[in-house]
Amino acid sequence: RKPPPRVRKPHPGNNRCLAPTADLELHRARLRQAFGDTLSDEFVDVMMSKLMDALAPSPHDELGETTLNAGLALVSSMQPKSELDALLAVQIVATGFSGLRFLRESHRHMTNDFIDVYGGYAERLLRLQNDLIRAFDRHRRGNRQTVEVRHVHLHPGSQGVIGIVNHERKEGD
């Protein structure tokens, strides 16, 4: 495995990112690969912006370099194969990190009101993240399903078939 692409963020208060090395072309290529092997630098810029907005949703939030690189590593680990995969990956990261943020907020004052409100938001976001992961997986598999049969019981006088059976429809069926 190759390490995920990283960015430098000189100040946590703004969304300005820099390449960690002087080789800008290699850095841009690694980011394009991380976001679905896209050919569009503009797509990478938009997805990086959306990732940063999701990880620091308020103008008063500061997004640290480590958090941004962790989100970028998660996107990269999903190995998106297209721009749509990359968009789903960013959504998965955004909902997961937001869910964890609300979970942290639910523990801040440890009162029932905080736990009920923020804990409820956290639960919904983490469920949404699981739904998005399933959608990503279904999209990746092409909506196919694999069924594994472990035991088949045939009684005396019965017949069994193993394999794909296509029943031809007759008119009137």
Side-chain angles (χ1 to χ4, degrees):
R1 284 178 43 165
K2 289 190 299 188
R6 297 181 51 77
V7 293
R8 282 188 33 245
K9 205 164 175 301
H11 189 274
N14 65 31
N15 284 349
R16 188 166 162 252
C17 292
L18 304 173
T21 64
D23 190 353
L24 294 178
E25 272 311 304
L26 177 64
H27 178 69
R28 293 298 291 180
R30 300 248 354 256
L31 285 174
R32 283 192 304 271
Q33 183 181 14
F35 286 105
D37 213 10
T38 184
L39 300 175
S40 171
D41 285 331
E42 291 84 6
F43 180 77
V44 171
D45 292 341
V46 169
M47 288 295 102
M48 282 295 292
S49 173
K50 297 301 180 191
L51 185 61
M52 288 186 278
D53 289 346
L55 296 177
S58 154
H60 305 293
D61 290 335
E62 291 191 349
L63 175 60
E65 184 176 306
T66 55
T67 303
L68 178 57
N69 281 320
L72 190 54
L74 278 171
V75 169
S76 180
S77 75
M78 295 177 72
Q79 299 175 343
K81 307 227 182 305
S82 68
E83 288 84 352
L84 179 60
D85 283 357
L87 178 63
L88 282 169
V90 168
Q91 290 173 351
I92 289 167
V93 170
T95 55
F97 276 57
S98 296
L100 293 174
R101 180 182 304 116
F102 278 113
L103 198 57
R104 183 187 68 226
E105 288 297 319
S106 76
H107 291 97
R108 183 164 295 226
H109 298 288
M110 294 302 288
T111 64
N112 284 340
D113 292 340
F114 274 85
I115 292 170
D116 288 344
V117 172
Y118 289 112
Y121 288 141
E123 180 185 9
R124 285 187 211 117
L125 284 166
L126 294 173
R127 279 189 188 169
L128 175 60
Q129 181 191 32
N130 285 333
D131 290 343
L132 287 168
I133 290 170
R134 281 194 292 274
F136 181 83
D137 186 47
R138 275 193 313 271
H139 173 72
R140 178 84 45 96
R141 292 188 271 122
N143 266 340
R144 284 177 294 201
Q145 195 173 34
T146 303
V147 177
E148 180 179 323
V149 178
R150 294 179 184 250
H151 300 287
V152 176
H153 297 283
L154 295 176
H155 299 282
S158 64
Q159 296 179 351
V161 176
I162 298 176
I164 298 172
V165 177
N166 293 320
H167 176 70
E168 290 186 24
R169 299 186 109 184
K170 298 178 188 173
E171 281 197 41
D173 281 350

